Amino acid sequence: MTKQQQLDSRIIDVIRDRGFSELSLVQEQAIPKILNGDHLLLIAPTGTGKTESAMIPVLSGMLKGTGSGFTTLYITPLRALNRDILRRMEWWCQNLGLTSGVRHGDTSQAERRKQVLHPPDLLITTPETVQALFMGKRLREHLRGIRYVIVDEIHDLAGTKRGTQLVIALERLCRYAGEFQRIGLSATVGNPKEVSEFLTGERPCSIVEVPVAKTLDIHVEITGERFESQVSAIRKHIKKDNSTLIFVNTRSTAESLGHALIKDGNVDVHHGSLSRDIRIEAEDRFKQGDIKTLICTSSMELGIDIGHVEHVIQFGSPREVSRLVQRVGRAGHQIGKVSIGTIITSGFDDLCESLVIAGRARQGAVENVIPSYQAGDVIGNQIAAIAVEYGEISIDDIFSIISHSSIGIKEQDTLERIISQLTEHYLIRRDGNKIITTSRARRYLSGNLSMIPDERKFPVYDIVTRRTVGTLDESFIITSLHTGAVFIARGQLWRVLDLEEGKVTVEPARNTEGELPSWEGEQIPVPFEIAQEVGRLRRTRTFKDYTTDKAAIAFANGFLDLVCKNHGIIPTDHLITLEPSDEGVVLNNCAGHQTNEALGRVISILLSARFGTTIGLELDAYRILFRVPREISVRDVRETLLGLQPEHIRGILELALKRTSLFRWKLVQIAKKFGAIDPDADYERLSLHRLSDLLAHPQIQEETYRELFSRYMDVSHAIEIIRAIKNDETEVTIAPVSMIGAAALFSSSRDQIPPPTADQAVISALKHRLDKQEVLLVCMNCRKWKTKTVVSRVPDQPVCGNCGARLIAALKPYETELYSAANKKTKNPEEKALEQKLFRNANMVLSSGKKAILILSAKGVGPETASRILATYTDGDALMREILKAERNFVKTHRFWQ
Amino acid sequence: MNIDFFPSGPAVQIEEEKRILFIADIHMGIEYELQKHGFFIRTRGQDRITRICDLVKEADPDILVILGDVKHRIPGTSYQEFYELGNLFSALRKIIPFYVTPGNHDPGIEEFLKPEEMRKKEGSIIDQVGILHGHTIPDEELQGKLILCGHHHPTVTLRDQVGVALRSPCFILGEVDSHIFPEEMDSETTTLLMIPSCNEMTGYGIEKTFHSPFSPLSRSLIIETAEVLLPDGTYAGSLHSHLHYDETATT
């Protein structure tokens, strides 16, 4: 082995002791490059000896001499992973006479102090703790000797703001340690070059990639919608295998599946809501073979070593190819072994999506990881951190640090704008070309070491039963709640009475109109390409190309046949269908969550502007539900969709997003990272609906838009869809309600788009009030008929229930006496005048029907004002404006104030 | 009696013998206090002063009445208040005679005012209209009058068929139960107008206020008689309909 000869002889001995007879493919390719001093991105499936590939040559280099501080930083995204890496590295280090240690949020004070006095040669840590290393004076000194930085699971960090923060921190590190060698360890990604640049910036970076696709053997099964049959399908598998990992998409599924399987014995559950001890215990028991099956969420996706896994079951669609590859890659955890995975699917969407994702996984078509370029809040956070680190520093120096990383800013102007923003929040002071730290900055930093948005939970307290009925997320409270709001929790309606002292006080609410806010949190979006391929599969029915499972093919064909038999139209990649339903209008579009988000929002914004009403919006990867009032028809939605101009989409969204709860939620998160709001800010102090106005700083807004458009809304694919409609490549048709449109999966994302102006909101409220207004209808012909009703129930042309005449006067509900007075046989002059007034009223109803009744039921509007309004010949919103004007005039009269 | 509404305050102007413009709850210095609660935003004090001066020029009253809570910090006066209150009053003195009825946030306000600009906090009469901030039991002499008060920051939620469409400051007008006065007199009914906050950052839902009333006046308002008005005087329905939205809704 010639390659090994470059390794230090001591490490070759240790490798022999460890019992490695030969190097794996990954190791053979990676080790020489690292020994050569290259920056390296190493891409290989989990369990192929990635960590050792990087660490053997690094340890060899460390043997050439270590200084008084740290020599190597090993950074992973998870504390659990840190512990695992330490377990594996301790052995190597001990045998080589090196020291190792872990430092992260769980590390004890005593351990931390020890590390300050005697820094280990190899420090295993998280990106957030790297931030903390710069804050202590003595720790900073220990950074000077660093020669290697390994970033593990870099695919998981590169797409997030944590990653952005980390690569800026690496540039900060260069100011102490000079240039050091950077090694990134990654699972398969679609864009290795971009990820390598993320790691090293403009420095050249080698890439070693071991393909994953050949080693995957994935099956897709259909079990049907019933939970019991899903459980029994799983049971069949886990009986056969010696060790099975079952991945589910949500914690609650993990719990219910665990509940169903736990009585079988040999099963345990592992997810993020469980305490650390319980999780570690489950990992250990699985590793030692005490349990055969472990049910887990994405908590087990990253490379924590849990020993041999024979079979991976994915419960429901994995939604992304990379996720499936990662998860199934956990099986056959030995070099050269095939990973066996099974996706258990429950319904049509789930099945088709899984077939497409499995097909793509076999081809190795994994998604790209897109770094957060030029994220303003991260850069702001790092400027504040640098100021604390140095006390005072020149703006040129800051620019040089930040612009060196690949994701930083390239123009000094942007930096200046972010600096002036930070100054406003008292995080830094500016003195000419220098910035100086403030007393607030250190406190801000200790609360904002992490770029992960933190969510506080607020208890919901029922004032009637005097008990806590659940908790709500901060995001939900900020975006949707205020006193008086009604929401759903635990399947019940609640009205908010109070938002104080960190809790939400509620009372049970009765029925209410329309859709209620309920926040489901962020879900894993299905990418555009996958949703489109699902649409193609619906159109071509080439299920055989994707699977050999006869039951799955029969289910899919049977489902489509049934839709057709019921006169439904199947939406595909070339066909968008619009279905009217009791709930509103469903737009079926196979375009993925983010594209549907962009399209759904543009359409609802236009509808709410045109009709002056709030539009409820819910969507998933294949459909958008617009919850609309009855006056908006499926044709209106179609017209709006067809009328969209591709070049207007982005502009419409930018203008209108500001009013949405999604925008407000993101704005608050980003404002926190900018230091405008403390992590534990007391929201009761401020009227929440004003919050977004107060945070309307250009930098905060710009970053909010950047994040929304890069993470939540896929504008470019939405434009592609609209272009395809204009070019007749995609057809749009109205169809009856189908099983596809009616799929009850409407819980992935909800928002409400309010009408654009206060004027429209006021008109809506007026319409609502008038509709509910009680009115007394009396017959002026037979004089023997009166009825009390509400305006919304009045027919267009009311007739007398007794004589059938149309001479009906509309009185206020409390004016019964007027009718009796006018009907007296002998009348005094006053009563005669009254009778004349009622006649005038009835004549108006005779000629204008319900419209007259509507006007007469407004506040303080009598026959004279009503006839003046009728004479304007207005309708719709214009009529409502006339009524509002009349009521305003009445309000100014003396009569109103009595 | 002539009545005019000015949404930019929000403010109301009543003309009897004189034209009097009423605003309430300016809360100068709120930004400084917000810092203690985790919000770090620059002061908008000067914007507020400009807005109030523009409002006075637009309404062109004979007198301006500020119904209390001109400052925000209790107790004491922050540096921001010290600076901005001086600016506010000197700007106003140049254009209009004014009165202040001190509110619960106003201890120490007398340092900034001339004695003749101060009114009794329990309430007083100006041009037949009763004025007070609204955190105290109103003075006897206000019985049977139209009373104007601040303190409550009333805000209304307008809904349409699908959801919440607008949150807006609002006026509340209604009758006051005469039990509020220590000695009931056989007088005309007492009417109350609650004025919304002139500070753009504050607002308090009327559902909350009247579910758990926190002042003598909010406890004594007879809800069945009360109406809700938007800042421009638009009628927004009865208070009862806003407090019992469920019952009026149909499904």
Side-chain angles (χ1 to χ4, degrees), chain A residues 849-861:
Chain A
K850 185 175 181 174
K851 184 176 171 184
I853 294 173
L854 188 81
I855 297 170
L856 282 163
S857 56
K859 185 82 181 173
V861 173

Side-chain angles (χ1 to χ4, degrees), chain A residues 424-426 440 443 463 482-486 495 497-500 507-516 612-616 627-631 675-678 680-683 685-687 689-691 693-695 697 752 754-755 758 761-762 764-765 768-769 772 793 859 884 887-888 891-894 896-898, chain B residues 1-5 12 14 16 30 34-44 72 146 148 155 157-169 173 175 188-189 191 193 197 199-208 211-212 227 229-230 232-238 241-251:
Chain A
E424 183 166 314
H425 306 315
Y426 311 99
R440 190 183 167 228
R443 193 162 49 87
I463 203 165
H482 48 82
T483 47
V486 176
R495 175 195 298 283
L497 295 177
D498 210 351
L499 292 164
E500 251 168 327
E507 65 180 1
R510 265 165 282 179
N511 64 337
T512 181
E513 282 183 359
E515 191 42 36
L516 299 164
T613 173
T614 307
I615 309 288
R627 289 190 188 272
V628 290
R630 278 185 199 103
E631 68 255 30
I677 306 177
D678 273 347
D680 55 350
D682 199 357
Y683 292 115
R685 294 286 158 178
L686 202 64
S687 193
H689 67 290
R690 314 267 196 200
L691 200 54
D693 299 336
L694 295 179
L695 299 175
H697 295 290
Q752 295 185 344
V762 172
S764 270
H768 178 87
R769 168 160 57 87
K772 302 293 168 283
R793 297 217 187 96
K859 185 82 181 173
L884 283 173
E887 287 187 335
R888 260 197 304 271
V891 162
K892 290 183 189 176
T893 63
H894 203 66
F896 180 78
W897 292 75
Q898 292 309 298
Chain B
M1 188 168 74
N2 259 329
I3 290 164
D4 263 311
F5 292 91
V12 63
I14 299 182
E16 201 89 42
I30 192 171
L34 278 174
Q35 286 189 16
K36 291 190 200 149
H37 300 284
F39 298 91
F40 293 82
I41 43 180
R42 75 176 164 79
T43 169
R44 273 127 176 108
H72 189 69
L146 169 65
L148 270 61
T155 309
T157 299
L158 296 183
R159 299 166 171 86
D160 57 24
Q161 282 162 278
V162 182
V164 171
L166 177 71
R167 291 260 290 165
S168 166
L173 176 72
E175 280 175 32
E188 284 183 46
T189 47
T191 313
L193 180 68
S197 170
N199 182 299
E200 68 284 359
M201 291 186 207
T202 57
Y204 202 77
I206 50 175
E207 308 87 352
K208 210 157 117 182
H211 190 278
S212 21
E227 314 275 14
L229 303 174
L230 296 185
D232 65 349
T234 297
Y235 179 65
S238 69
S241 73
H242 286 281
L243 301 183
H244 302 270
Y245 189 79
D246 284 355
E247 284 113 88
T248 60
T250 54
T251 42

Side-chain angles (χ1 to χ4, degrees), chain B residues 6 14 51 89 93 95 146 150 156 172 176 181 198 234 249:
Chain B
F6 295 90
I14 299 182
R51 179 159 54 85
F89 292 131
R93 281 185 194 112
I95 53 174
L146 169 65
V156 68
I172 303 284
V176 175
F181 297 103
C198 177
T234 297

Side-chain angles (χ1 to χ4, degrees), chain B residues 9 14-15 30-31 51 55 69 76 78-79 100 102 126 143 173 182 201 204 225 248:
Chain B
I14 299 182
E15 186 171 359
I30 192 171
E31 293 89 352
R51 179 159 54 85
L55 165 71
D69 285 1
S78 65
Y79 176 77
V100 172
I126 176 169
Q143 202 168 158
L173 176 72
M201 291 186 207
Y204 202 77
T225 65
T248 60

